[in-house]
Amino acid sequence: MHKAVYLSLGAPHLEYPAVEDALRAEGVEARMVHLAAFDRLDLDGIDLVNLRMCRWYHKEPDFQERVERVHERLLAAPHGPIPLANPLPLVLDALDKGRYLRKLSEDGIELVPTRWIAKGTSFDVVRTMDEAGWDDVVVKPTVSSGSWNTIRVSRSGPALDAHHFVLEEGVFAKQAEMAALALTHALIVQPFLPSVLDFGELSFVFLGGELSHVVRKTVGSQGGWWAHERLGGQNHRWNPNPAEERWATGVNDALERRYGRLWFARIDGLQGADGRLQLLECELAIPRLLLPEGKAFGRYATVMAEGIARHRPGRPRIRAA
């Protein structure tokens, strides 16, 4: 059997056991290794290393450097280079929204309108809203996962949860805290799009360069403003219309033109005021690929096995009986 290592930081995606089972059926034996133990790992017989279970990577200040060291070991493996899923240049860019989103914008992909706040600069939420002409915004670090330090700021209306703040006479109560965060982290500010509440967010999952499945994420029945299951949102399998599929394929094509063939990608879009999709973000290094919702464990495992065979020719692929 082929052998794959999934690196983690101790809190992998909950789907991991089902991933192991699906890979075994495709002739791939997977095991999880903590990133801290990778330097001691014997690479003999390893055919693939995958970072996809390294959730909460934003808490590791040297995570990028550790990934680069992983890649150096893979290139120098005793029986030839071992592939990393996805390619290292993409992984490094994908860890920071300020990198890959700007590059996709340069490539002609329409983003949700964005103001970029450089790390170490003076940041005033109200001033940024005034300059952009926005009455309702979302602020988040460019390096984050699990909605860490993501907040919404509105000029009026009720606050919907502890992460939603309404200006009082034009004053933002957490201004000092957010200004301090901007000294250590680059931030992005985007208008809050009402379509999140009306329709939700679409996540397009590509496996091996092909669209596998689409999931519509909606705000939960209890209200709120998050289209995220961890924060009360709900996920539903979605059949995209031709325009939605073309949009997502265009984004994936732009990624592959810049970075080469991808093992997997998740592309998240929101409807703008005109109903057209705009790119919110991509999950390209450590994504939850919504495999349960898409009933896609088998497709995912097939793509992983075929990718190993492509990168490691001569090693037999033996499917489980």
Side-chain angles (χ1 to χ4, degrees):
M1 296 184 80
H2 288 143
K3 294 184 179 180
V5 166
Y6 279 78
L7 297 178
S8 87
L9 294 170
H13 296 294
L14 296 178
E15 67 187 28
Y16 177 74
V19 167
E20 267 196 1
D21 292 341
L23 287 170
R24 188 176 300 110
E26 286 291 329
V28 180
E29 178 187 346
R31 63 178 170 130
M32 191 174 303
V33 175
H34 197 285
L35 181 61
F38 181 77
D39 287 345
R40 302 186 300 276
L41 179 66
D42 183 359
L43 296 181
D44 188 37
I46 303 301
D47 298 298
L48 174 69
V49 171
N50 198 322
L51 295 165
R52 201 167 71 80
M53 299 298 160
C54 287
R55 293 175 65 226
W56 308 111
Y57 66 89
H58 68 272
K59 297 181 179 181
E60 305 289 327
D62 61 345
F63 183 71
Q64 177 173 316
E65 290 77 9
R66 292 166 76 182
V67 170
E68 290 173 333
R69 291 199 298 271
V70 166
H71 189 250
E72 289 171 0
R73 282 204 71 202
L74 298 183
L75 290 178
H79 299 292
I82 298 170
L84 181 71
N86 272 314
L88 180 70
L90 173 61
V91 168
L92 295 180
D93 279 357
L95 298 176
D96 188 335
K97 297 176 181 66
R99 288 183 178 180
Y100 77 87
L101 283 177
R102 279 175 154 150
K103 290 180 179 179
L104 285 174
S105 179
E106 293 169 2
D107 293 340
I109 301 300
E110 182 181 6
L111 310 181
V112 172
T114 302
R115 291 294 178 101
W116 307 95
I117 310 300
K119 181 174 73 171
T121 60
S122 174
F123 174 54
D124 185 308
V125 173
V126 178
R127 184 175 67 237
T128 301
M129 294 171 71
D130 291 342
E131 291 172 351
W134 297 334
D135 294 328
D136 202 348
V137 300
V138 175
V139 184
K140 52 192 169 185
T142 63
V143 178
S144 70
S145 61
S147 301
W148 177 75
N149 267 329
T150 295
I151 63 168
R152 178 181 171 191
V153 183
S154 306
R155 292 191 188 276
S156 61
L160 298 181
D161 62 18
H163 305 281
H164 183 197
F165 302 89
V166 177
L167 301 183
E168 297 182 10
E169 298 182 354
V171 176
F172 176 44
K174 289 174 66 72
Q175 172 56 41
E177 185 176 331
M178 293 306 294
L181 181 64
L183 295 177
T184 57
H185 294 75
L187 307 177
I188 57 178
V189 183
Q190 298 174 318
F192 177 79
L193 300 183
S195 63
V196 173
L197 304 178
D198 301 331
F199 176 79
E201 174 184 329
L202 289 181
S203 290
F204 299 80
V205 176
F206 286 78
L207 299 176
E210 302 293 332
L211 182 61
S212 169
H213 54 281
V214 185
V215 172
R216 178 185 173 195
K217 303 175 181 177
T218 60
V219 172
S221 58
Q222 301 303 313
W225 59 279
W226 301 87
H228 193 302
E229 73 268 22
R230 193 176 60 83
L231 298 165
Q234 297 176 340
N235 295 344
H236 323 263
R237 183 73 181 268
W238 181 255
N239 292 318
N241 63 39
E244 292 166 346
E245 186 167 343
R246 282 195 302 273
W247 175 83
T249 300
V251 177
N252 190 74
D253 289 348
L255 287 166
E256 294 204 333
R257 283 193 298 271
R258 181 174 282 275
Y259 297 105
R261 185 166 182 163
L262 306 186
W263 296 71
F264 50 76
R266 197 186 88 212
I267 295 167
D268 296 341
L270 292 174
Q271 294 177 345
D274 60 1
R276 293 186 303 110
L277 286 171
Q278 298 174 334
L279 182 62
L280 175 64
E281 64 180 359
C282 300
E283 294 287 352
L284 305 163
I286 307 165
R288 183 161 113 69
L289 292 174
L290 305 167
L291 300 179
E293 293 88 335
K295 295 180 170 52
F297 285 102
R299 290 194 295 278
Y300 172 82
T302 296
V303 166
M304 294 298 104
E306 290 176 346
I308 291 172
R310 188 170 59 252
H311 285 85
R312 305 279 279 177
R315 291 179 62 83
R317 172 186 172 193
I318 304 173
R319 289 184 174 90

